[in-house]
Each structure stands twice: as structure tokens, then as C-alpha cells.
Amino acid sequence: MPTIDTNLGLVLRQLRDHGPRSRATLATELGLTRTAASTLVADLAERGLVRTGGIERGAVGRPGTNVELDGHAVAGIGAEINVDHVWTMALDLSGAVVSEHKLSLDVSAFPATEVLDRLADLVGQVVLDLERRGTEPVGLTVGVAGLVDRERDLVTHGPNLGWHDVPVGDLVRARLGAAYPVTVDNESNLATLAEATPGDPDRQDILVLFGGVGMGGGIVADGRLLRGRQGYAGEFGHVIVEPQGRRCGCGRVGCWETVVGLRALLDRAADPDDPVRDPALHVDERLAELNRRADLGDTRTLDALAQVAGWLGAGAAVLVNALNPAAIVLSGYFAAVGEHLRPTLETRLRAGVLAPDAGGTRIELSKLGFTASVRGGAGLSLDAVFADPARVERRGAVEGAVR
Ligand SMILES: [Zn+2]
């Protein structure tokens, strides 16, 4: 027998997954009485999580007033520690970005404790932004480019950061003294979660390939992130594809990321003194320049992109044979140059997958750019509220009036 608390979550998730709708529609869709739906909506409104909006369109009978998510009361915070930056972002309950701070940093050149000092500063700035708009942080999820033991919030191995057994959760908590929960996750898992749009049937079975300096990814099956026994699933970048190839940051030879990571692309596409290989330039600018050269038909750029696309397709075909996802979502730098990767990638996929037409698996380009991980982290922080809205305190009438 569902309790009122579990029904609060049902209503809130229905609004997240399917958009604004009237109390009457909510009652019908969720199998509740109208009175129960109204009571639940009133309860959620007291917690600042929903508000009434416009008039419901297309409804049968007398049109009702819509109920929609209210972004003001709470926000989730995501953070990312990657090879060349630390980044924080807060999303409100409706998914809108309400604060963002980023710092370019050569992470492997500093001790982990110093990197976490910088991260804590950025999170502090996000919390200040939230305080100014009267929004309560409900959690912080820190994504790290490395293997994460989620039970102990520990980064066991971050090959591209030079990190071993760094207790990120404890160190961040000690720096922030936060009243909200702090969790640590793999950044590619978070980027994957950001692509799995709740309520979208086309985004329930996806494979995400995230291109950065290295390469990561993740699997969403039946709408859930596949984490594996110890949470280490999705380390596609370290599948060995070229045993006679280059040494990887992890110490092995010929990992997939040594042939498809951004480093591999840039090494092929340009000489060392070429601006596209200048780490001081923003990666977006460098990728825009590569796209410009490819659009102009520059042979060296096109060859480098085709090389990456070929390796990407060969590896992706293995994964598609195993998983038959609805879509492969190219994320990170793969999305930025995705239109140039697509033709070779699709050809390789069709050639390498047993099922006709690559099993119907589509190639899609992420629209989130490099923000996928921080967005995924913020979204995961908010999930706690969608699972149990009662964890957000009811607000008094006075405070309600101020908002
Ligand atoms: Zn490796």
C-alpha cells in the first residue's frame, strides 16, 4: 500500500517526465482520486517544489490549471575533476542552470589536496549564488576522471590525473563542512546519466561514448545506468584494440583511448607547433578550427578524423553486437566533430554488426558538450528529491510570500 510519501514522489516524477499538467490529469494518470492528487500537489507546493502555471490545453472537459515543477526551492550541485579543469554547476529542480563556475587547471601538476581546495572554492561560490536566490542545495556529486569506489567515495585509480587511492569524499566534506550529502562518481557515468532523459522512450537503452583527452562512456539499459559488480562498468577507453600500439596513461599498450582520444586526433591532425595543439587555447576553439579545416577539405585533418572514426566504429561495433542499444550518443569532443566522424563511423558499424542495418542503432550527437558530467552530477544530486520529496522541509507562509 503506497504511503503519502511515496505518492509525493510519483506526482513529482510525473511532472518531471511528462511536463506540466492539471491535478485532474495527474489523478487519472497515477490512479489517484482527485482529492488525493490535490492534497499531494498542495503538500509539494508547501515544500516549494511545484507551483501552478498556465491553463492545460487539449484536456477533455473543463480545462484545469496546470501544475509544474518550481525551480526555486532546491538545487543539485554537480562538480567535475578532469585532466585540464575543475568545474561546478547547479541545476534547479526544473533542470535549469542556476550557477556555474569553472577553472582551467593542469590537474596532474598539483597534489590532489590542492586540486580539492580549488574545487571546494568553486563549490563555495555556487552555494553563495544559491543563497542569494533563496535556494537550498540538496547534494553535491563530484565526478572524477578515474575509477571510483562509491562505497568509500574513493578514487582508486585516475590514470590521466595521476591519482591513486584519493579519499575525495572525505577530503571534500572536510573542506566544505556541508549540511548536504556529498558523493563521488565516475565522470563518464555522470555524463551518461545526463543523456538518459527520464520519460523519453528513445533514451532508455543507450550507449554513451565520451571523448576527452582520454575516453570514457557508459551504458543505460532499461533507463538505468549499468554500474557492474563494483561500479567499474563502462571503462571502454581501456579496452585493448591495438596491442602493438601506443602506451596508454594506464600503463597498458593499445587501449581504445590511445587511438580515439583527443590527444590521438590532434597528434595526427597537426604538427606540435600548430595552434590546435596548444593547450593554452580553449578546447572549443581548437575543435572549431579543426571543423573549419575539415569543412574546407584539408586532407590531413580529414584523414585524422577518418582514422579516429574508423577506430571508433570498430570498437562501437563490438559493443553494439553485445548490447544493441537504441542509440550511440557521441559526447564530449566526439560530439563537437561528430558530423565529420559520422560517415565512416556508420559504415564501420554496419560492416561490424551482425544484425541488419547495425541493429537499428542510431548515431546521435550530444547537445550537452563538455557540460555532460557536471549536469549529470547535479541531476544525480536532485534524484534524491524526486525519490523522496519529503526530505525537503515545508516552508512557512511568510517565506512563501517572499518568493
Ligand atoms: Zn589504458
Side-chain angles (χ1 to χ4, degrees):
M1 180 70 191
T3 64
I4 179 158
D5 281 2
T6 59
N7 280 341
L8 283 176
L10 271 184
V11 171
L12 204 61
R13 291 192 296 275
Q14 190 74 1
L15 294 172
R16 174 193 65 184
D17 297 352
H18 303 289
R21 52 236 300 110
S22 70
R23 294 168 181 81
T25 302
L26 283 167
T28 310
E29 289 171 344
L30 299 173
L32 303 165
T33 65
R34 285 228 189 174
T35 312
S38 293
T39 306
L40 290 163
V41 165
D43 186 310
L44 291 168
E46 274 182 56
R47 297 177 202 276
L49 303 177
V50 303
R51 63 185 171 204
T52 47
I55 299 297
E56 186 175 51
R57 295 180 190 281
V60 180
R62 195 165 61 90
T65 307
N66 268 338
V67 181
E68 62 187 19
L69 296 178
D70 184 343
H72 230 97
V74 296
I77 308 175
E80 186 195 9
I81 300 170
N82 214 320
V83 178
D84 56 3
H85 62 252
V86 286
W87 199 340
T88 55
M89 180 184 275
L91 294 182
D92 74 15
L93 197 68
S94 70
V97 177
V98 290
S99 172
E100 184 179 1
H101 296 277
K102 188 178 177 186
L103 177 72
S104 292
L105 187 70
D106 181 4
V107 167
S108 65
F110 294 88
T113 49
E114 208 164 308
V115 173
L116 295 172
D117 286 342
R118 307 286 179 86
L119 181 84
D121 289 345
L122 292 190
V123 174
Q125 290 177 40
V126 169
V127 171
L128 271 180
D129 290 343
L130 295 180
E131 270 173 19
R132 274 189 216 112
R133 67 195 296 278
T135 301
E136 186 195 339
V138 290
L140 164 67
T141 307
V142 183
V144 185
L147 294 180
V148 175
D149 177 342
R150 291 174 73 239
E151 271 176 32
R152 295 185 292 160
D153 291 333
L154 179 81
V155 176
T156 51
H157 186 34
N160 292 322
L161 306 178
W163 286 16
H164 283 277
D165 293 331
V166 179
V168 171
D170 288 345
L171 293 172
V172 169
R173 274 186 284 269
R175 279 161 177 72
L176 292 173
Y180 44 84
V182 176
T183 52
V184 183
D185 212 321
N186 171 271
E187 44 110 32
S188 295
N189 279 343
L190 298 178
T192 300
L193 281 171
E195 301 293 347
T197 319
D200 181 347
D202 290 333
R203 286 290 174 115
Q204 301 304 296
D205 293 281
I206 57 171
L207 183 63
V208 176
L209 300 178
F210 186 91
V213 170
M215 179 211 193
I219 303 159
V220 172
D222 261 346
R224 297 173 68 111
L225 181 70
L226 215 73
R227 291 186 177 275
R229 173 70 183 86
Q230 290 189 306
Y232 298 147
E235 284 297 334
F236 305 137
H238 302 283
V239 173
I240 290 172
V241 296
E242 197 185 25
Q244 311 301 324
R246 287 161 66 156
R247 188 165 295 277
C248 178
C250 75
R252 293 173 187 77
V253 173
C255 292
W256 199 8
E257 74 175 36
T258 66
V259 287
V260 299
L262 185 57
R263 205 171 277 155
L265 173 70
L266 296 177
D267 285 358
R268 272 185 205 285
D271 293 330
D273 58 350
D274 191 303
V276 299
R277 286 179 62 178
D278 180 0
L281 285 179
H282 195 282
V283 67
D284 289 342
E285 284 175 45
R286 294 150 69 193
L287 292 168
E289 173 60 17
L290 274 187
N291 272 326
R292 194 187 65 84
R293 291 180 192 177
D295 290 341
L296 291 173
D298 177 66
T299 318
R300 182 167 178 186
T301 308
L302 290 172
D303 285 351
L305 286 163
Q307 188 85 20
V308 164
W311 280 114
L312 205 53
V318 174
L319 296 170
V320 170
N321 274 317
L323 298 163
N324 187 214
I328 292 178
V329 181
L330 299 182
S331 180
Y333 106 76
F334 293 150
V337 296
E339 288 307 340
H340 289 292
L341 300 175
R342 187 194 289 276
T344 305
L345 175 52
E346 286 179 342
T347 305
R348 286 296 175 94
L349 210 55
R350 277 195 297 271
V353 174
L354 177 66
D357 195 27
T361 300
R362 301 181 312 278
I363 303 293
E364 293 182 3
L365 307 185
S366 169
K367 294 179 178 67
L368 304 179
F370 286 97
T371 68
S373 290
V374 278
R375 278 175 191 274
L380 195 59
S381 301
L382 282 171
D383 275 356
V385 175
F386 285 106
D388 180 17
R391 64 192 298 143
V392 179
E393 304 254 331
R394 288 192 181 85
R395 298 188 156 195
V398 177
E399 203 181 336
V402 171
R403 290 190 302 118

